Amino acid sequence: MGDFEKSLPAFVLVAFLSFLIGFIFMVLLRFLIRPCVWFAVFLVLLKLCVGGGLCWVRSKQCAGAGLFETGQQVAVAVAVTATTAASSAVSGQSVSEAFTGDGADYRGVQSRTKMGYSCEVWGQGAAAAYTSANYPSSGLVDNNFCRNPYNTNDINKAATIWCFTTDTSVKWQTCTPVGVIAPECTDGYAITNNEVRTLLEICAYVLWVLAAIYCLLVCCLLDRIRLAIAVNQVAAIFVKDTPRILIVPAIQAGIGILWILIWALSASFLISQVPDG
């Protein structure tokens, strides 16, 4: 029993701290039950949505690009598409985002690069040399939309639409048309197996469907959730008005600790009676 006797102070300390932490948590939970419940409900929904998003982004991740970089591109594309759609709905006007080849004929309204940088107005700042006079057929008149301006006799031509940015740390960057959510991977995907990418995409849709079902269930069970919260709040009021009731869990915890201590002592004694060898 010598080894157990040496560990007895540690056992008593751990038992006391466990009881104290559990007791404080139980009391606080009674009074914080409402935010705890709704936070837990929101956390489950967030996990489903984020899990689906990560699966989808991973399935579209280009070779050489990081997962965070791809996610940022997708987030920017979704945000720009949503704001553009809202603006078009309010104004009642829509602009074609179509282009062919290298995008020289693009006349859409994308004003942010693929990483979300705001475009500089053509003819101003870093784009001072790119005016409608120098590039009359590139659609640069009084706008900061992504374009691919060049003349037919130019040697240097971009592969797709781009713009100068208003960020001094990034001079220019390529763009994607509004409505194009998935990045274009000209050098292939990070996951080369097409079946694995398809499986990840399916998993993303499944998680998003589960998130939608979860939202529906929460809405249907809203009254029951509120009732459960109210019952716990009543219990909290009862504990507040009758503080002596806290003696009950304290006694239960004490009995449990004492039982474990007696069991450990008995087990140590029996083991100590077994002869060596």
Side-chain angles (χ1 to χ4, degrees), residues 57-65 182-194 197:
V57 169
R58 180 61 175 161
S59 69
K60 306 298 180 182
Q61 182 180 351
C62 298
E184 297 180 0
C185 301
T186 55
D187 297 327
Y189 292 92
I191 299 177
T192 56
N193 192 312
N194 186 54
R197 292 201 309 273

Side-chain angles (χ1 to χ4, degrees), residues 6-192:
K6 293 178 182 178
S7 64
L8 191 58
F11 172 81
V12 173
L13 180 62
V14 171
F16 174 75
L17 291 178
S18 299
F19 165 74
L20 185 62
I21 294 172
F23 188 79
I24 294 173
F25 174 77
M26 181 185 68
V27 173
L28 289 178
L29 184 62
R30 290 294 185 181
F31 293 96
L32 300 175
I33 188 66
R34 183 188 295 273
C36 286
V37 168
W38 290 119
F39 177 74
V41 170
F42 171 75
L43 193 61
V44 172
L45 178 62
L46 182 65
K47 286 182 177 180
L48 290 173
C49 293
V50 171
L54 287 175
C55 289
W56 195 87
V57 169
R58 180 61 175 161
S59 69
K60 306 298 180 182
Q61 182 180 351
C62 298
L67 185 63
F68 178 79
E69 179 185 352
T70 305
Q72 185 178 354
Q73 291 183 32
V74 171
V76 169
V78 170
V80 171
T81 300
T83 54
T84 303
S87 299
S88 299
V90 171
S91 63
Q93 299 178 349
S94 60
V95 178
S96 174
E97 291 290 324
F99 72 82
T100 57
D102 58 10
D105 58 347
Y106 175 74
R107 296 299 180 268
V109 293
Q110 177 62 276
S111 61
R112 288 190 177 274
T113 68
K114 63 181 182 179
M115 297 303 294
Y117 295 105
S118 180
C119 291
E120 179 74 85
V121 177
W122 296 105
Q124 299 180 13
Y130 288 80
T131 63
S132 57
N134 294 334
Y135 300 91
S137 302
S138 297
L140 306 183
V141 181
D142 299 328
N143 68 70
N144 68 330
F145 301 138
C146 296
R147 297 287 187 260
N148 188 11
Y150 62 83
N151 294 316
T152 53
N153 58 345
D154 287 348
I155 298 176
N156 298 320
K157 301 177 182 179
T160 187
I161 57 176
W162 60 280
C163 72
F164 290 98
T165 77
T166 56
D167 193 309
T168 55
S169 63
V170 180
K171 187 175 182 180
W172 68 277
Q173 198 171 75
T174 58
C175 312
T176 55
V178 176
V180 177
I181 306 300
E184 297 180 0
C185 301
T186 55
D187 297 327
Y189 292 92
I191 299 177
T192 56

